[in-house]
Short mmCIF file of all heavy atoms in Angstrom, two decimals:
data_model
loop_
_atom_site.label_atom_id
_atom_site.label_comp_id
_atom_site.label_asym_id
_atom_site.label_seq_id
_atom_site.Cartn_x
_atom_site.Cartn_y
_atom_site.Cartn_z
N MET A 816 -9.84 33.05 4.26
CA MET A 816 -11.04 32.23 4.19
C MET A 816 -10.60 30.77 4.06
O MET A 816 -9.67 30.36 3.35
CB MET A 816 -11.87 32.55 3.01
CG MET A 816 -12.44 33.90 3.11
SD MET A 816 -13.78 34.07 4.36
CE MET A 816 -15.12 33.30 3.50
N THR A 817 -11.39 29.91 4.68
CA THR A 817 -11.11 28.43 4.79
C THR A 817 -12.28 27.82 3.86
O THR A 817 -13.46 28.01 4.11
CB THR A 817 -11.05 27.83 6.16
OG1 THR A 817 -10.13 28.57 6.88
CG2 THR A 817 -10.54 26.48 6.07
N GLU A 818 -11.82 26.89 3.14
CA GLU A 818 -12.83 26.18 2.39
C GLU A 818 -13.56 25.21 3.26
O GLU A 818 -13.13 24.74 4.21
CB GLU A 818 -12.12 25.31 1.34
CG GLU A 818 -11.46 26.16 0.27
CD GLU A 818 -10.79 25.42 -0.91
OE1 GLU A 818 -11.26 24.17 -1.01
OE2 GLU A 818 -9.93 25.91 -1.49
N PRO A 819 -14.87 25.06 2.95
CA PRO A 819 -15.76 24.32 3.90
C PRO A 819 -15.33 22.82 4.03
O PRO A 819 -15.52 22.22 5.00
CB PRO A 819 -17.12 24.34 3.19
CG PRO A 819 -16.83 24.80 1.80
CD PRO A 819 -15.54 25.52 1.81
N GLY A 820 -14.64 22.29 3.07
CA GLY A 820 -14.27 21.00 3.14
C GLY A 820 -13.46 20.52 1.93
O GLY A 820 -13.93 20.65 0.84
N GLU A 821 -12.43 19.93 2.14
CA GLU A 821 -11.72 19.35 1.02
C GLU A 821 -12.12 18.03 0.70
O GLU A 821 -12.28 17.22 1.56
CB GLU A 821 -10.21 19.40 1.23
CG GLU A 821 -9.68 20.80 1.41
CD GLU A 821 -8.16 20.78 1.65
OE1 GLU A 821 -7.61 19.73 1.29
OE2 GLU A 821 -7.53 21.78 2.06
N PRO A 822 -12.24 17.71 -0.64
CA PRO A 822 -12.73 16.30 -1.02
C PRO A 822 -11.60 15.36 -0.64
O PRO A 822 -10.29 15.71 -0.95
CB PRO A 822 -12.96 16.44 -2.40
CG PRO A 822 -12.11 17.65 -2.88
CD PRO A 822 -12.12 18.60 -1.71
N GLU A 823 -11.90 14.32 -0.03
CA GLU A 823 -10.94 13.32 0.19
C GLU A 823 -10.97 12.16 -0.77
O GLU A 823 -12.02 11.71 -1.05
CB GLU A 823 -11.07 12.75 1.69
CG GLU A 823 -10.72 13.91 2.52
CD GLU A 823 -10.75 13.39 4.06
OE1 GLU A 823 -10.81 12.08 4.18
OE2 GLU A 823 -10.86 14.21 5.10
N ASP A 824 -9.83 11.66 -1.06
CA ASP A 824 -9.87 10.51 -1.92
C ASP A 824 -10.31 9.31 -1.28
O ASP A 824 -9.91 8.91 -0.16
CB ASP A 824 -8.48 10.24 -2.53
CG ASP A 824 -7.93 11.31 -3.53
OD1 ASP A 824 -8.82 11.79 -3.99
OD2 ASP A 824 -6.70 11.50 -3.62
N GLU A 825 -11.32 8.59 -1.92
CA GLU A 825 -11.94 7.49 -1.25
C GLU A 825 -11.45 6.21 -1.96
O GLU A 825 -11.10 6.31 -3.18
CB GLU A 825 -13.40 7.56 -1.23
CG GLU A 825 -13.97 8.67 -0.19
CD GLU A 825 -15.40 8.57 -0.21
OE1 GLU A 825 -16.03 7.63 -0.49
OE2 GLU A 825 -16.06 9.61 0.23
N GLY A 826 -11.42 5.22 -1.39
CA GLY A 826 -11.11 4.02 -2.13
C GLY A 826 -9.80 3.27 -1.50
O GLY A 826 -9.30 2.45 -2.07
N GLY A 827 -9.27 3.91 -0.44
CA GLY A 827 -8.18 3.25 0.20
C GLY A 827 -7.02 4.27 0.49
O GLY A 827 -6.79 5.15 -0.19
N ASP A 828 -6.52 3.95 1.70
CA ASP A 828 -5.28 4.71 2.19
C ASP A 828 -4.12 4.18 1.40
O ASP A 828 -3.92 2.98 1.38
CB ASP A 828 -5.23 4.49 3.67
CG ASP A 828 -4.23 5.48 4.37
OD1 ASP A 828 -3.33 5.87 3.52
OD2 ASP A 828 -4.37 5.66 5.46
N PRO A 829 -3.28 5.06 0.86
CA PRO A 829 -2.10 4.78 0.25
C PRO A 829 -1.22 3.84 1.05
O PRO A 829 -0.53 2.95 0.43
CB PRO A 829 -1.38 5.94 -0.15
CG PRO A 829 -2.59 6.99 -0.18
CD PRO A 829 -3.55 6.65 0.76
N ALA A 830 -1.20 4.01 2.38
CA ALA A 830 -0.39 3.30 3.17
C ALA A 830 -0.77 1.76 3.11
O ALA A 830 -0.04 0.97 3.49
CB ALA A 830 -0.43 3.78 4.66
N CYS A 831 -2.09 1.57 2.78
CA CYS A 831 -2.55 0.26 2.76
C CYS A 831 -1.81 -0.65 1.78
O CYS A 831 -1.46 -1.86 2.02
CB CYS A 831 -4.07 0.19 2.60
SG CYS A 831 -5.04 0.72 3.92
N TRP A 832 -1.59 -0.03 0.64
CA TRP A 832 -0.89 -0.80 -0.42
C TRP A 832 0.54 -0.56 -0.52
O TRP A 832 1.23 -1.42 -1.13
CB TRP A 832 -1.53 -0.70 -1.76
CG TRP A 832 -1.65 0.82 -2.26
CD1 TRP A 832 -2.71 1.62 -2.11
CD2 TRP A 832 -0.61 1.53 -2.90
NE1 TRP A 832 -2.43 2.87 -2.69
CE2 TRP A 832 -1.05 2.78 -3.16
CE3 TRP A 832 0.66 1.11 -3.36
CZ2 TRP A 832 -0.33 3.69 -3.67
CZ3 TRP A 832 1.48 2.18 -4.00
CH2 TRP A 832 0.94 3.36 -4.19
N LEU A 833 0.93 0.50 0.04
CA LEU A 833 2.31 0.87 0.06
C LEU A 833 3.24 -0.31 0.79
O LEU A 833 4.34 -0.62 0.39
CB LEU A 833 2.76 2.09 0.65
CG LEU A 833 2.71 3.30 -0.30
CD1 LEU A 833 2.74 4.64 0.43
CD2 LEU A 833 3.63 3.22 -1.48
N ARG A 834 2.60 -0.78 1.87
CA ARG A 834 3.35 -1.82 2.56
C ARG A 834 3.34 -3.14 1.82
O ARG A 834 4.07 -4.03 2.23
CB ARG A 834 2.72 -1.94 3.86
CG ARG A 834 1.18 -2.38 3.87
CD ARG A 834 0.52 -2.00 5.08
NE ARG A 834 1.07 -2.65 6.31
CZ ARG A 834 0.21 -3.63 7.07
NH1 ARG A 834 -1.05 -3.71 6.60
NH2 ARG A 834 0.61 -4.27 8.02
N ARG A 835 2.51 -3.14 0.81
CA ARG A 835 2.47 -4.42 -0.06
C ARG A 835 3.64 -4.46 -1.16
O ARG A 835 3.84 -5.36 -1.84
CB ARG A 835 1.25 -4.67 -0.71
CG ARG A 835 0.10 -4.93 0.22
CD ARG A 835 -1.09 -5.51 -0.56
NE ARG A 835 -2.31 -5.57 0.29
CZ ARG A 835 -3.39 -6.16 -0.20
NH1 ARG A 835 -3.51 -6.41 -1.45
NH2 ARG A 835 -4.46 -6.24 0.46
N VAL A 836 4.21 -3.29 -1.32
CA VAL A 836 5.13 -3.09 -2.46
C VAL A 836 6.39 -3.91 -2.09
O VAL A 836 7.00 -3.59 -1.09
CB VAL A 836 5.47 -1.69 -2.76
CG1 VAL A 836 6.53 -1.58 -3.84
CG2 VAL A 836 4.24 -0.95 -3.23
N CYS A 837 6.85 -4.70 -2.93
CA CYS A 837 8.09 -5.48 -2.81
C CYS A 837 9.34 -4.57 -2.76
O CYS A 837 9.50 -3.90 -3.77
CB CYS A 837 8.13 -6.63 -3.84
SG CYS A 837 9.79 -7.54 -3.75
N PRO A 838 10.13 -4.67 -1.75
CA PRO A 838 11.32 -3.83 -1.70
C PRO A 838 12.28 -4.21 -2.71
O PRO A 838 13.30 -3.53 -3.04
CB PRO A 838 11.83 -3.95 -0.18
CG PRO A 838 11.31 -5.34 0.18
CD PRO A 838 9.94 -5.57 -0.56
N ALA A 839 12.26 -5.39 -3.14
CA ALA A 839 13.21 -6.15 -4.12
C ALA A 839 13.01 -5.60 -5.52
O ALA A 839 13.78 -5.24 -6.29
CB ALA A 839 13.39 -7.39 -3.90
N CYS A 840 11.70 -5.90 -5.87
CA CYS A 840 11.33 -5.74 -7.36
C CYS A 840 10.29 -4.62 -7.55
O CYS A 840 9.97 -4.22 -8.65
CB CYS A 840 10.90 -7.08 -7.97
SG CYS A 840 9.37 -7.67 -7.41
N GLY A 841 9.65 -4.33 -6.61
CA GLY A 841 8.72 -3.10 -6.62
C GLY A 841 7.32 -3.61 -7.01
O GLY A 841 6.49 -2.72 -7.31
N ARG A 842 7.11 -4.93 -7.19
CA ARG A 842 5.77 -5.37 -7.49
C ARG A 842 4.87 -5.37 -6.27
O ARG A 842 5.29 -5.36 -5.01
CB ARG A 842 5.92 -6.73 -7.99
CG ARG A 842 6.45 -6.84 -9.39
CD ARG A 842 6.21 -7.96 -10.19
NE ARG A 842 4.78 -8.51 -10.24
CZ ARG A 842 4.31 -9.32 -11.13
NH1 ARG A 842 5.18 -9.57 -12.18
NH2 ARG A 842 3.11 -9.66 -11.22
N LEU A 843 3.62 -5.44 -6.53
CA LEU A 843 2.57 -5.35 -5.55
C LEU A 843 2.17 -6.73 -5.07
O LEU A 843 1.75 -7.45 -5.95
CB LEU A 843 1.29 -4.51 -5.93
CG LEU A 843 0.54 -3.97 -4.87
CD1 LEU A 843 1.27 -2.82 -4.06
CD2 LEU A 843 -0.75 -3.26 -5.53
N ALA A 844 2.41 -7.12 -3.90
CA ALA A 844 1.96 -8.32 -3.33
C ALA A 844 0.40 -8.53 -3.42
O ALA A 844 -0.29 -7.58 -3.33
CB ALA A 844 2.51 -8.64 -1.97
N GLU A 845 -0.06 -9.75 -3.41
CA GLU A 845 -1.47 -9.97 -3.45
C GLU A 845 -2.17 -9.92 -2.13
O GLU A 845 -3.36 -9.80 -2.15
CB GLU A 845 -1.72 -11.48 -4.04
CG GLU A 845 -1.14 -11.58 -5.47
CD GLU A 845 -1.44 -12.97 -5.98
OE1 GLU A 845 -1.85 -13.87 -5.19
OE2 GLU A 845 -1.28 -13.23 -7.30
N GLU A 846 -1.48 -9.90 -1.04
CA GLU A 846 -1.94 -9.83 0.26
C GLU A 846 -1.09 -8.99 1.10
O GLU A 846 0.06 -8.73 0.79
CB GLU A 846 -2.19 -11.13 0.86
CG GLU A 846 -0.83 -12.01 0.88
CD GLU A 846 -1.17 -13.38 1.39
OE1 GLU A 846 -2.30 -13.86 1.47
OE2 GLU A 846 -0.08 -14.14 1.65
N ASP A 847 -1.65 -8.63 2.29
CA ASP A 847 -0.90 -7.84 3.15
C ASP A 847 0.38 -8.61 3.86
O ASP A 847 0.13 -9.84 4.01
CB ASP A 847 -1.82 -7.33 4.38
CG ASP A 847 -2.64 -6.13 3.97
OD1 ASP A 847 -2.29 -5.59 3.01
OD2 ASP A 847 -3.79 -6.00 4.51
N PRO A 848 1.36 -7.97 4.10
CA PRO A 848 2.36 -8.67 4.80
C PRO A 848 2.04 -9.09 6.19
O PRO A 848 1.14 -8.42 6.71
CB PRO A 848 3.55 -7.63 4.75
CG PRO A 848 2.88 -6.28 4.61
CD PRO A 848 1.56 -6.65 3.81
N PRO A 849 2.64 -10.07 6.82
CA PRO A 849 3.89 -10.68 6.28
C PRO A 849 3.53 -11.79 5.19
O PRO A 849 2.68 -12.66 5.34
CB PRO A 849 4.34 -11.51 7.56
CG PRO A 849 3.14 -11.68 8.39
CD PRO A 849 2.31 -10.46 8.19
N THR A 850 4.20 -11.66 4.12
CA THR A 850 3.91 -12.55 2.97
C THR A 850 5.21 -12.54 2.17
O THR A 850 6.16 -11.70 2.48
CB THR A 850 2.70 -12.14 2.19
OG1 THR A 850 2.48 -13.11 1.08
CG2 THR A 850 2.91 -10.80 1.50
N SER A 851 5.14 -13.21 1.09
CA SER A 851 6.30 -13.12 0.21
C SER A 851 5.95 -12.76 -1.17
O SER A 851 4.84 -12.91 -1.70
CB SER A 851 7.04 -14.51 0.14
OG SER A 851 6.11 -15.54 -0.30
N CYS A 852 6.81 -12.03 -1.87
CA CYS A 852 6.51 -11.56 -3.17
C CYS A 852 6.29 -12.67 -4.25
O CYS A 852 7.14 -13.54 -4.32
CB CYS A 852 7.70 -10.71 -3.71
SG CYS A 852 7.57 -10.04 -5.30
N ALA A 853 5.24 -12.56 -4.96
CA ALA A 853 4.82 -13.62 -6.00
C ALA A 853 5.86 -13.60 -7.07
O ALA A 853 6.02 -14.67 -7.78
CB ALA A 853 3.44 -13.51 -6.41
N ALA A 854 6.53 -12.48 -7.37
CA ALA A 854 7.31 -12.38 -8.44
C ALA A 854 8.68 -12.76 -8.24
O ALA A 854 9.35 -13.58 -8.99
CB ALA A 854 7.32 -10.91 -8.97
N CYS A 855 9.36 -12.28 -7.10
CA CYS A 855 10.68 -12.75 -6.83
C CYS A 855 10.97 -13.53 -5.58
O CYS A 855 12.02 -14.00 -5.31
CB CYS A 855 11.66 -11.44 -6.76
SG CYS A 855 11.26 -10.46 -5.30
N GLY A 856 9.99 -13.62 -4.73
CA GLY A 856 9.92 -14.38 -3.60
C GLY A 856 10.61 -13.71 -2.33
O GLY A 856 10.69 -14.34 -1.33
N ALA A 857 10.85 -12.40 -2.54
CA ALA A 857 11.44 -11.76 -1.36
C ALA A 857 10.31 -11.57 -0.26
O ALA A 857 8.99 -11.49 -0.62
CB ALA A 857 11.78 -10.28 -1.81
N GLU A 858 10.66 -11.55 0.94
CA GLU A 858 9.66 -11.50 2.08
C GLU A 858 9.49 -10.03 2.28
O GLU A 858 10.26 -9.08 2.29
CB GLU A 858 10.42 -12.01 3.40
CG GLU A 858 10.58 -13.59 3.21
CD GLU A 858 11.05 -14.12 4.59
OE1 GLU A 858 11.06 -13.31 5.61
OE2 GLU A 858 11.36 -15.37 4.60
N LEU A 859 8.09 -9.81 2.53
CA LEU A 859 7.62 -8.44 2.85
C LEU A 859 7.34 -8.39 4.35
O LEU A 859 6.61 -9.21 4.90
CB LEU A 859 6.32 -8.25 2.09
CG LEU A 859 6.47 -7.72 0.69
CD1 LEU A 859 7.10 -8.76 -0.29
CD2 LEU A 859 5.21 -7.22 -0.02
N ASP A 860 7.86 -7.25 4.88
CA ASP A 860 7.71 -7.15 6.36
C ASP A 860 6.48 -6.33 6.64
O ASP A 860 6.32 -5.25 5.98
CB ASP A 860 8.91 -6.44 6.90
CG ASP A 860 9.86 -7.45 7.53
OD1 ASP A 860 9.43 -8.33 8.24
OD2 ASP A 860 11.05 -7.22 7.52
N PRO A 861 5.74 -6.66 7.62
CA PRO A 861 4.52 -5.89 7.87
C PRO A 861 4.95 -4.51 8.63
O PRO A 861 4.02 -3.74 8.53
CB PRO A 861 3.78 -6.70 8.95
CG PRO A 861 4.82 -7.67 9.63
CD PRO A 861 5.84 -7.89 8.46
N GLY A 862 6.07 -4.44 9.11
CA GLY A 862 6.49 -3.16 9.76
C GLY A 862 7.47 -2.49 8.94
O GLY A 862 8.04 -1.38 9.24
ZN1 ZN B 748 9.57 -8.95 -5.45
#
């Protein structure tokens, strides 16, 4: 049997904010890349 529908998490795709995570310090940037980390200044790549 298949369930009629699984509840989906609403409020944002994880990929939306994952790309904002600074690769250097792990903090979340305030805006989508390309931008730079407000904490350490590392550049965030959009890709
Ligand atoms: Zn950083």
Side-chain angles (χ1 to χ4, degrees):
M816 292 292 281
T817 307
E818 294 183 23
E821 294 184 18
E823 294 184 15
D824 286 334
E825 293 183 20
D828 191 335
C831 287
W832 58 263
L833 272 176
R834 58 205 291 249
R835 290 193 191 186
V836 177
C837 174
C840 70
R842 285 194 55 151
L843 203 62
E845 295 179 353
E846 58 185 8
D847 285 336
T850 184
S851 57
C852 175
C855 72
E858 291 186 7
L859 274 68
D860 260 324

